[in-house]
């Protein structure tokens, strides 16, 4: 596992964009796994900027998002479909047919989840999966105790996740209680993983994930078993780590 500690959120975002750029340059038909939430917003801004400067081309890229709230339509401003469109897709030259997110309102949940996994497999699997981390150590919406080998499925959100995500809704009551998410098994199959975390409120989860025991009670700790993980943290999120030289690490060549 390679851990980079950035100065601040913007620097973390730039380093994350460097990692994505390096992988995309090496494989123009990249299959990219995407996350939502507050953390990757800066990364998407950086990638859009690189595209606008003519330095990145998404025309052959295929994307699969980690998750979507169950019950929200894709036009709902709180949906991850909407988030991705607003913050990334409409600003780059990705082909519409190459964009995939779990459906928020599937008629048949099991069939939709199986179809999502089949689409990932048909694309050749995920080359690079971007992840954020929840304060309880979740990745995607795989909450503490998530099954190790689970694939895309319907998940009950943990109370702390509902509380954390209430900041994006008018009230906590408006936060959906369930989501369709790639499972831990889907995430661990990605060839490479880029985990981003920013802010002091993530420091405990980051330390538990990177230096604690590997346990399903901290889903992100399973990443310790993955051979291709790069972690980019800002200083605040790295605060509780013991083994990392803050401000150290080997920066990607483009940074
Ligand atoms: C979102 C996702 C979640 C978030 C996590 C952190 O697609 O998969 O695991 O990455 O909840 O969210 P933020 O970045 O808002 O703190």
């Amino acid at each position: 596992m390679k851990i980079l500690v950035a100065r601040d959120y913007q620097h973390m975002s730039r380093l994350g964009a460097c990692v994505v750029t390096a992988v995309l340059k090496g494989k123009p038909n990249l299959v990219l796994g995407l996350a939502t939430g507050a953390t990757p917003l800066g990364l998407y801004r950086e990638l859009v900027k690189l595209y606008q400067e003519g330095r990145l081309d998404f025309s052959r890229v295929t994307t699969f998002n980690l998750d979507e709230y169950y019950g929200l339509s894709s036009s709902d401003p709180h949906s991850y479909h909407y988030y991705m469109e607003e913050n990334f897709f409409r600003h780059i030259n990705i082909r519409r047919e190459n964009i995939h997110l779990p459906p928020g309102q599937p008629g048949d949940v099991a069939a939709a989840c199986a179809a999502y996994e089949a689409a990932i497999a048909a694309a050749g699997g995920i080359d690079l999966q971007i992840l954020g981390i929840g304060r309880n150590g979740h990745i995607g919406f795989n909450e503490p105790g998530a099954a190790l080998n689970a694939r895309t499925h319907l998940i009950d959100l943990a109370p702390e996740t509902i509380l954390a995500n209430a900041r994006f809704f008018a009230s906590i009551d408006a936060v959906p209680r369930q989501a369709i998410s790639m499972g831990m098994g889907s995430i661990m199959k990605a060839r490479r993983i880029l985990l981003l975390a920013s802010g002091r409120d993530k420091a405990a989860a980051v330390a538990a994930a990177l230096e604690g025991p590997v346990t399903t009670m901290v889903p992100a700790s399973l990443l310790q078993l993955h051979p291709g993980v790069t972690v980019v943290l800002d200083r605040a999120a790295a605060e509780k780590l013991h083994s990392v030289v803050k401000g150290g690490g080997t920066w990607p060549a483009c940074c």
Side-chain angles (χ1 to χ4, degrees), residues 33 54 96 104 113 155 180 200 212:
R96 310 308 305 179
C113 291
I155 285 174
I180 293 184
R200 191 155 291 129

Side-chain angles (χ1 to χ4, degrees), residues 35-39 66-67 80 132-135 138-140 167-168 202:
T36 57
T39 308
L66 282 167
D67 40 26
Y80 289 160
I133 182 171
R135 287 157 195 75
H138 75 209
I139 47 178
R167 71 201 139 121
F168 299 115
K202 296 290 177 71

Side-chain angles (χ1 to χ4, degrees), residues 93-111:
N93 65 336
I94 191 164
R95 295 163 70 108
R96 310 308 305 179
E97 63 270 30
N98 288 352
I99 294 173
H100 304 84
L101 288 97
Q105 297 182 307
D108 179 337
V109 172

Side-chain angles (χ1 to χ4, degrees), residues 34-41 44 65-68 80 83-84 129-136 138-142 161 164-165 167-168 181 187 195-198 201-202:
L34 299 174
T36 57
T39 308
L41 283 171
Y44 295 141
N65 265 77
L66 282 167
D67 40 26
E68 177 57 285
Y80 289 160
Y83 167 110
M84 289 308 305
Q129 176 66 55
I130 293 161
L131 296 176
I133 182 171
R135 287 157 195 75
N136 63 0
H138 75 209
I139 47 178
F141 274 133
N142 295 280
T161 300
N165 288 4
R167 71 201 139 121
F168 299 115
S181 175
I187 293 171
L195 173 70
L196 302 177
S198 156
D201 60 334
K202 296 290 177 71

Side-chain angles (χ1 to χ4, degrees), residues 34 63 65 84-85 87-92 94 99 101:
L34 299 174
T63 61
N65 265 77
M84 289 308 305
E85 195 55 36
N87 294 302
F88 195 37
F89 296 145
R90 76 185 176 89
H91 305 288
I92 58 172
I94 191 164
I99 294 173
L101 288 97

Side-chain angles (χ1 to χ4, degrees), residues 11 23 30 38 47 56 59 62 70 79 103 128 130 134 145 156 161 173 175 209 217 229 235:
H11 190 205
V23 180
L30 189 68
L47 293 175
L56 283 183
S59 63
T62 299
Y70 182 59
S79 73
L128 175 65
I130 293 161
D156 292 330
T161 300
D173 296 332
V175 184
M217 295 314 289
V229 178
R235 278 192 190 134

Side-chain angles (χ1 to χ4, degrees), residues 4-22:
L4 304 174
V5 183
R7 285 187 297 279
D8 53 21
Y9 177 80
Q10 202 189 339
H11 190 205
M12 175 202 78
S13 304
R14 264 201 291 122
L15 290 176
C18 288
V19 173
V20 176
T21 299

